[in-house]
Amino acid sequence: MTQDRGPTAGTSSGRRRALCWVLGPLGGALVVLAVMFHIRGWGSIPGGSCGSKYQACADGTGTLIVLAFVFTFTSVIPLILALSMMATERFGKARLIGLPLAGAVLIAWPAWQFTEWLRGPMLDIAWAAPLDRPEETRVQGLWVTGDGTVVRGRPDALVAHDPRGGERRWSADAPVRMSLCSMSDTVSQGIALAAYARHEKPCASVAAIDTDNGRTLWKKTVDANDLHFARPQGGRVTVDGEVAVVATKDGARAFGLRDGKPRWSYRLDDDCGPALVSSAGGRTRLVAVCDPLGLGKVTARVLTLASGDGEELRRYDLPTETGPSGLDVISAEPFVIRVAESDERGLDAVLAFGRDGGEPVVVKRIGTDEELALGTTQPRFPAQAGLTALVHGNTLIAATWHTGDDAPQHVSAYSLRDGTRQWRVKVADSLGDAVDSLAVADGRIGVYVDDGRVLRLDPRTGAKQHDHGAVVDEGGLKIGTEAQLLAGPGDGWTLVNPDSGEYPPLLGLTPKD
């Protein structure tokens, strides 16, 4: 009796069959690698082009595309060879399909994870709020409530947006023939202050706004002057605990936050006027500018009042001899301001005041090898210094110009205990790229660079979470200059375009798969 046997391992046919078992899965795996590397590589190029100062590429874009073509060409030979050999050896249709498919299935998940790691982080624009009308609308200020609702202040209205989809929650129109001229820096107990003015009139009409629904709780009109140094957000109206404080012609007045009942008033010395007011932590700071007898001998001082009853707790005379050309609040608690004297050789620095008084810590705006970019110093930045400088704990963190830079490409940290620089890190990669805004999220510092990247920095060391940050895939949408970065839900971010009539007012950014 004769038994039919297949080819043994030592025969030529046996070796070919063994090779088929290797080349079949290998060919399928290489095809999947080629496909995935093409998807990841070309998908990491935002808007179809990158690598210029206008749009950054994801870190591993070049490597992914090169490997995609390598796998494309190397997958053809083993796959064709395997299929032809399996057909010759009569493997059958199931194995002709099954072996390459098995290799493809086995490599798919590890390959996807590897390409994601190699590509580097990216951010998708998950949602965009509809364009504002009219087209020339510009955002003047922002409130962010406890649940993350973003309230934008336009000249003609306050508009609140849901932080997870950008939908409009409510809007509150400005009074007839009035425009929004000031917003409090912060929200207290779900209430914030907005101030309005008629054309070329002082910012004197004040309203308390319930940020849950946009309802006006009360209105007041105060005797006010035009404050030259108060910005649209901050400087004229402020909230602290259960008190609302308003700068007046000759000092400040306080009202009950919920009921609008008068609480106290503070009058400055003669020949002095308020430049800005700021409140937090039970303390109200009033920065006053004085010109006794109108002789041009200008002095300035910081007065600390108890927010509850208006009692003067202490005063500090600023080391200035001429009037200020710039004055901004960077932080209400701790109280940190930027002061620039009109004398070009005068004071131009950040001053940090301790809660219990004493001499403030001084950080000069221009050092021996870098310059702090504080908004009002350069035309390309917004007037609000808070976009490019913030306080985290006892540290001032600011965008900085380094020697040789043509734009602020670094972020530096200064101790508010002694004014020394703690660290400096370069965050802009290309010539001309600049830091647009800073934010705090989950204990880390968020940095938005105008080439479309968001970085996370450790506030203690400046260490980057990723070498070059996460690239925003704009997907056909446009991010305007001077966009403000805000912490969003989860690991996401929110970008606010100041020119909200030309660009989407808000953009929600989420990590890209």
Side-chain angles (χ1 to χ4, degrees):
M1 178 174 163
T2 303
Q3 186 175 1
D4 186 18
R5 296 182 179 180
T8 61
T11 65
S12 174
S13 179
R15 286 193 296 270
R16 286 197 302 270
R17 291 180 68 87
L19 191 58
C20 289
W21 285 94
V22 174
L23 291 178
L26 178 62
L30 289 173
V31 169
V32 168
L33 287 172
V35 171
M36 286 193 176
F37 273 74
H38 274 293
I39 292 173
R40 288 292 201 184
W42 300 108
S44 64
I45 302 179
S49 64
C50 62
S52 68
K53 70 176 291 290
Y54 302 105
Q55 180 63 63
C57 293
D59 288 350
T61 300
T63 303
L64 285 168
I65 292 176
V66 169
L67 289 176
F69 283 105
V70 170
F71 288 131
T72 298
F73 294 121
T74 57
S75 65
V76 173
I77 295 175
L79 185 60
I80 293 176
L81 184 60
L83 293 175
S84 62
M85 290 176 64
M86 283 189 287
T88 302
E89 296 297 324
R90 299 179 180 179
F91 263 54
K93 184 182 295 185
R95 290 177 181 176
L96 278 171
I97 298 173
L99 287 177
L101 184 60
V105 170
L106 288 173
I107 201 64
W109 177 249
W112 189 256
Q113 295 300 308
F114 177 69
T115 55
E116 183 173 359
W117 171 82
L118 189 61
R119 179 196 66 188
M122 292 189 72
L123 294 167
D124 267 329
I125 296 180
W127 53 264
L131 293 178
D132 279 342
R133 288 292 178 266
E135 187 174 333
E136 64 271 14
T137 296
R138 184 173 177 84
V139 175
Q140 294 184 288
L142 297 171
W143 294 324
V144 180
T145 68
D147 66 354
T149 298
V150 178
V151 183
R152 297 182 300 122
R154 304 176 6 164
D156 60 339
L158 297 166
V159 185
H161 296 268
D162 185 282
R164 290 171 176 79
E167 294 86 1
R168 182 175 292 193
R169 285 187 169 178
W170 56 260
S171 63
D173 291 340
V176 176
R177 300 193 70 85
M178 287 190 177
S179 298
L180 181 72
C181 55
S182 185
M183 299 168 63
S184 58
D185 279 336
T186 58
V187 177
S188 179
Q189 302 179 16
I191 300 172
L193 288 191
Y196 303 91
R198 290 179 65 90
H199 180 61
E200 295 185 350
K201 298 295 182 181
C203 195
S205 181
V206 181
I209 307 296
D210 186 333
T211 58
D212 287 336
N213 50 36
R215 185 167 61 94
T216 298
L217 302 180
W218 52 264
K219 296 179 180 179
K220 298 289 180 183
T221 299
V222 299
D223 188 11
N225 272 350
D226 187 15
L227 306 185
H228 296 290
F229 305 107
R231 304 301 175 191
Q233 178 150 16
R236 301 175 189 268
V237 292
T238 181
V239 294
D240 184 21
E242 298 181 352
V243 176
V245 184
V246 183
T248 62
K249 182 177 181 179
D250 55 6
R253 291 184 64 188
F255 304 91
L257 185 62
R258 292 189 175 277
D259 56 19
K261 293 181 179 179
R263 290 290 187 90
W264 53 262
S265 63
Y266 181 88
R267 181 180 175 86
L268 292 167
D269 297 338
D270 292 340
D271 302 314
C272 294
L276 61 83
V277 63
S278 177
S279 301
R283 300 287 186 268
T284 292
R285 273 82 176 202
L286 191 63
V287 180
V289 177
C290 306
D291 186 5
L293 306 178
L295 299 177
K297 296 182 179 180
V298 180
T299 61
R301 64 186 60 146
V302 176
L303 300 153
T304 301
L305 314 177
S307 296
D309 57 14
E311 177 188 359
E312 183 180 322
L313 302 177
R314 61 189 61 88
R315 61 174 58 195
Y316 173 78
D317 292 328
L318 293 173
T320 59
E321 296 180 3
T322 58
S325 62
L327 192 59
D328 288 286
V329 176
I330 296 175
S331 169
E333 183 64 25
F335 185 56
V336 180
I337 59 174
R338 181 270 175 111
V339 181
E341 233 181 309
S342 55
D343 180 354
E344 65 178 14
R345 294 291 298 149
L347 180 68
D348 188 357
V350 173
L351 279 65
F353 293 82
R355 180 176 176 83
D356 298 324
E359 291 289 317
V361 174
V362 178
V363 179
K364 292 183 179 180
R365 185 177 68 84
I366 300 177
T368 56
D369 63 345
E370 75 175 5
E371 173 184 346
L372 276 64
L374 295 178
T376 55
T377 62
Q378 298 296 334
R380 75 174 300 279
F381 285 100
Q384 191 69 12
L387 289 178
T388 50
L390 55 81
V391 172
H392 181 70
N394 284 304
T395 305
L396 169 71
I397 298 174
T400 53
W401 301 68
H402 186 249
T403 302
D405 291 344
D406 61 352
Q409 297 190 321
H410 292 74
V411 175
S412 300
Y414 289 83
S415 170
L416 295 182
R417 293 186 175 92
D418 56 17
T420 58
R421 188 173 66 203
Q422 297 178 316
W423 50 261
R424 178 175 63 201
V425 60
K426 186 171 185 179
V427 295
D429 294 332
S430 303
L431 185 66
D433 291 344
V435 177
D436 258 7
S437 60
L438 305 175
V440 178
D442 299 327
R444 291 186 177 271
I445 305 303
V447 183
Y448 177 67
V449 183
D450 64 1
D451 64 352
R453 289 181 296 122
V454 178
L455 295 92
R456 289 179 185 259
L457 306 181
D458 187 321
R460 297 171 302 170
T461 64
K464 302 174 186 177
Q465 186 172 353
H466 300 285
D467 286 345
H468 301 286
V471 175
V472 180
D473 188 352
E474 294 186 3
L477 296 171
K478 293 298 182 183
I479 301 172
T481 58
E482 305 169 356
Q484 172 67 67
L485 183 69
L486 301 174
D491 292 331
W493 302 90
T494 300
L495 275 177
V496 182
N497 277 317
D499 296 312
S500 58
E502 185 177 358
Y503 302 101
L506 273 77
L507 299 166
L509 310 180
T510 57
K512 186 171 185 175
D513 294 332

